[in-house]
Every structure is written in C-alpha cells, then in structure tokens.
Amino acid sequence: MIPFFDLTKQYETIKAEIDDATARELKSGWFILGPEVRAFEKEFAEYIGTRFAIGVGSGTEALHLALLALGIGAGDEVITVPNTAVATVAAIELTGARAVLCDVCPDSMLMDVASLERAITPRTRAIIPVHLFGQSCDLEPILEIARARKIFVLEDCAQAHGATYRGKRVGSWGDIAAFSFYPTKNLGAYGDGGAILTNDAQLAERVDLLRQYGWRERYVSEIKGTNSRLDELQAAILRVKLRHLDAWNAARRERAALYTELLRTVTPPREMTYGQHVYHLYVVQTRNRQSLISNLQSRGIGTAIHYPLAIHQQAAYANLGYRDEDLPVASRLAREIVSLPLYPELSLDDVRAVAQAINELA
Ligand SMILES: *Cc1c(COP(=O)(O)O)cnc(C)c1O
C-alpha cells in the first residue's frame, strides 16, 4: 500500500521537537498574537527574503487581506489563472472585484505571459501569478508588464514555500505575497494558517490592522478589519517545521527526479531552468487518466487530481462567462493531469514501485 499522502510519518520524525514546542506554548497561557507569532513572522520573513511577514488565519485570508491592503474592491479586475485552488479566485471575489482568467503554458502549466497581456483592461488593478505545484511562474516578464501599467503583483505562494526564481525565493518578487500553512503544504501547520509577506512598510501595516479589527491599540478601530490571526500554537509548530523545510524540499526534489528518470508512458512535469521547483505535487499528464487511476488503485497506490475542474468549469464561477475554448490549455490539463504520491518521507523504493506500476500499464 502506497497512500497518496501520509502526514503521520512526518510527525514521527520530529515528534520530540514538536511536543517540546507545543508543551512550552500551552504552559505559557498565551494563545493569540504573542511571542511565538512574532518570532515566526521574523524567521519566515528572513527565510523568504522580505522585510515583513504577517501571520493570518489561512492562505485564503492571506490572499483576501493582501488584496484589501492593495485597495482592491468593486469595479476592479484581478487577473489570475484557471488551474488553481478555488481559494485564489474566492479571495478576489470576496473583495467585490471581478476575477479575470488568462491561460497557462503547456510545458510549465503556469501563467502564460501572452495570454496575460491580452486579458489586461483599463480596470486591471492586480495580477496573481500562482506558483502552482511548487514551481515559480516566469516572474520577470509578468513584473515588467505590471510595472509598465502600474498594476500590482500579488504572488500566490501557497504551494511554493522555498521555491526560487533566478536565485531568490518566491514571495520576495511581487508587491506582496500570500502563503498558506494548510497541513499538506510544504510548510504545513497542524490546523489552518497563512502569512502575508512584503517589503512595503505601509502595506505591512495595513495588513496588520486588517487582521484584527483595524486595531493598532486594543479596542480602537482605525479602519474596518476582521479577525484573521495565526494562533500561537500553530506559530510554535511552524517555527519547528521551518527549520526542516530545506531538507524536506530537497527530499521532494530527489523523489521527483527519480520519477522523471523512470517514467516512460506519461508526460512528467517540466522543470523550468529559471528556478528551483519544490514539488508540492508531482503532476503528470496522460490521455488515459481514468484507467491509470483505477489500475493504480487496484494495486494499493493512491493518486489525486489537482484540480479536476478548472475555475471556469466550476458552477460557482459560471458567472465569469468563460468557455473551455477561451482557456484551451487549462481546460485540457483539467482532463489529463494526475498527481502521484510525493512527500519527503516516501521511500525511494516506493517511488520505483509507483513508476514501475505506471510503466507496466501501457
Ligand atoms: C492551498 C491553497 C490556497 C489556500 O490556502 P488555505 O490555507 O487552504 O486557505 C490558495 N492558493 C493555492 C494555490 C493553494 O494551493
């Protein structure tokens, strides 16, 4: 049996450190916005390479509050891609802005710059490149297009903790960036969590106010805000896990390289030369997806699809008005992609067994 994902194995490898950190935190009696969150924010900002990090309740809220901090709302348009977690588009729509979709490149499966340019209108206020599956988008042309038109860039880094672009980590390139610490992400909490990163002191301050009712001083609301806070317990856990992130990402890359070397009958993910992929997911393409999934399942091998429906194919977003022909690459990918088991604790023998099972199917 090779499950698609197994979070229990990772806990076993860091149990002593986690138990120590959580016991210390529980004994402190401080649970919301305290020393652990402040320390994690500092350590994570240093790791990514930004001046500021602000811990919030989830990746979705990180995207939402980042957009609000940029001043985006009704009447504005925000461009992103159709092959992303629904969270990216949910966050746009929560601000009252309209989500505009551009297509992706067939090789990288990431934002297509030519399609992005065609999607820009006078109402475009922000672009959200999504570093999907652990690989950076080609950021330089995106940033160039945005800067020439005074459009903000919000990086969705929910799947790309530690990934680099031209030697610098993703999350340090745009005006502002959103991370998720959902348990299965490369850096995951034991519950929900997220963070917003930026080099802009004004944006950082606005996000800090927005996450807690617009308070600078307790009970004094300077602006309208909400409650979206990273809690102390999750921050204590994330501080432990951050110390292991590089080693875990290296283990993911090693397993991905072995898959790519061995797989013969499906299209492996393409690593772009401009940066380092951290393989949040190992996603192959095949025309025979259903038979591949059921065959692997009968051998006890788990798979998943990220995501079976592109955003424009979701009933909730039919209002956006796109047909599959408008977004042909993302629409085809939704039919042909499959995610294989990949996590740092997966054994290399298990990788070989999965690859062999797939090669034997053809
Ligand atoms: C997971 C994810 C999010 C949302 O994060 P949550 O913490 O689950 O709210 C946003 N964007 C992408 C690309 C994601 O994978």
Side-chain angles (χ1 to χ4, degrees):
M1 296 292 283
I2 304 175
F4 176 68
F5 201 80
D6 183 357
L7 277 172
T8 63
K9 284 187 182 152
Q10 186 183 77
Y11 174 56
E12 281 163 29
T13 68
I14 52 171
K15 186 173 185 309
E17 286 171 273
I18 291 285
D19 292 358
D20 198 48
T22 52
R24 182 191 67 223
E25 207 299 301
L26 292 174
K27 272 188 220 146
S28 80
W30 195 335
F31 300 106
I32 300 292
L33 295 188
E36 295 290 342
V37 169
R38 268 201 304 279
F40 173 69
E41 288 173 339
K42 184 165 175 290
E43 289 159 9
F44 194 57
E46 262 166 30
Y47 176 82
I48 296 298
T50 59
R51 288 178 64 202
F52 306 102
I54 300 101
V56 296
S58 71
T60 308
E61 294 189 333
L63 289 161
H64 181 207
L65 297 190
L67 289 167
L68 291 179
L70 293 170
I72 284 157
D76 297 333
E77 291 177 0
V78 178
I79 304 175
T80 193
V81 290
N83 59 336
T84 182
V86 76
T88 316
V89 173
I92 297 170
E93 298 243 323
L94 280 170
T95 68
R98 180 185 160 78
V100 171
L101 302 177
C102 70
D103 211 355
V104 293
C105 299
D107 51 356
S108 66
M109 304 187 267
L110 301 166
M111 184 173 269
D112 176 335
V113 174
S115 178
L116 165 67
E117 265 191 301
R118 286 194 297 274
I120 291 173
T121 77
R123 288 172 181 264
T124 307
R125 294 282 316 284
I127 300 167
I128 308 184
V130 180
H131 305 308
L132 197 72
F133 305 146
Q135 177 153 247
S136 176
C137 297
D138 192 3
L139 282 167
E140 270 171 357
I142 295 171
L143 288 163
E144 209 168 289
I145 287 167
R147 286 189 183 131
R149 296 169 177 79
K150 296 198 173 4
I151 296 170
F152 296 116
V153 172
L154 160 56
E155 294 177 72
D156 183 338
C157 303
Q159 301 191 3
H161 314 71
T164 61
Y165 177 75
R166 304 213 183 279
K168 271 175 60 185
R169 293 218 159 91
V170 302
S172 66
W173 285 87
D175 296 286
I176 194 164
F179 284 83
S180 162
F181 306 121
Y182 184 79
T184 62
K185 309 284 180 173
N186 288 34
L187 178 61
Y190 293 133
D192 273 314
I196 293 166
L197 278 80
T198 182
N199 286 316
D200 183 320
Q202 264 187 323
L203 281 178
E205 182 181 50
R206 218 169 307 157
V207 168
D208 183 41
L209 293 178
L210 283 168
R211 77 170 161 183
Q212 186 167 240
Y213 315 120
W215 293 352
R216 192 184 316 266
E217 195 185 321
R218 209 170 174 72
Y219 309 130
V220 183
S221 295
E222 290 182 22
I223 60 170
K224 288 173 183 157
T226 183
N227 170 4
S228 178
R229 303 173 295 215
L230 181 66
D231 69 66
E232 286 283 290
L233 196 57
Q234 298 305 338
I237 290 161
L238 288 166
R239 291 183 68 199
V240 169
K241 289 188 153 202
L242 180 58
R243 300 200 283 267
H244 297 275
L245 179 59
D246 283 341
W248 287 335
N249 282 341
R252 287 176 181 274
R253 287 177 52 74
E254 185 186 5
R255 280 141 190 81
L258 184 57
Y259 268 136
T260 299
E261 179 195 322
L262 297 174
L263 288 169
R264 298 272 173 270
T265 55
V266 294
T267 308
R270 168 93 162 267
E271 264 192 42
M272 308 310 285
T273 54
Y274 53 58
Q276 196 160 72
H277 198 318
V278 293
Y279 288 99
H280 172 58
L281 294 166
Y282 188 88
V283 178
V284 300
Q285 299 175 43
T286 172
R287 296 262 171 85
N288 306 314
R289 178 165 75 183
Q290 207 38 60
S291 72
L292 181 123
I293 290 171
S294 37
N295 268 293
L296 291 180
Q297 195 173 20
S298 70
R299 298 171 187 223
I301 298 170
T303 56
I305 302 174
H306 300 90
Y307 299 91
L309 291 176
I311 298 299
H312 64 284
Q313 299 168 331
Q314 307 273 359
Y317 296 104
N319 68 302
L320 298 179
Y322 295 97
R323 300 157 305 164
D324 280 4
E325 308 87 270
D326 302 324
L327 301 159
V329 179
S331 301
R332 177 181 60 75
L333 289 173
R335 290 190 301 272
E336 298 184 355
I337 48 173
V338 189
S339 309
L340 305 183
L342 181 91
Y343 36 95
E345 301 77 21
L346 182 70
S347 74
L348 295 175
D349 279 340
D350 281 351
V351 172
R352 289 188 193 97
V354 174
Q356 191 182 342
I358 292 170
N359 288 341
E360 281 169 5
L361 294 177

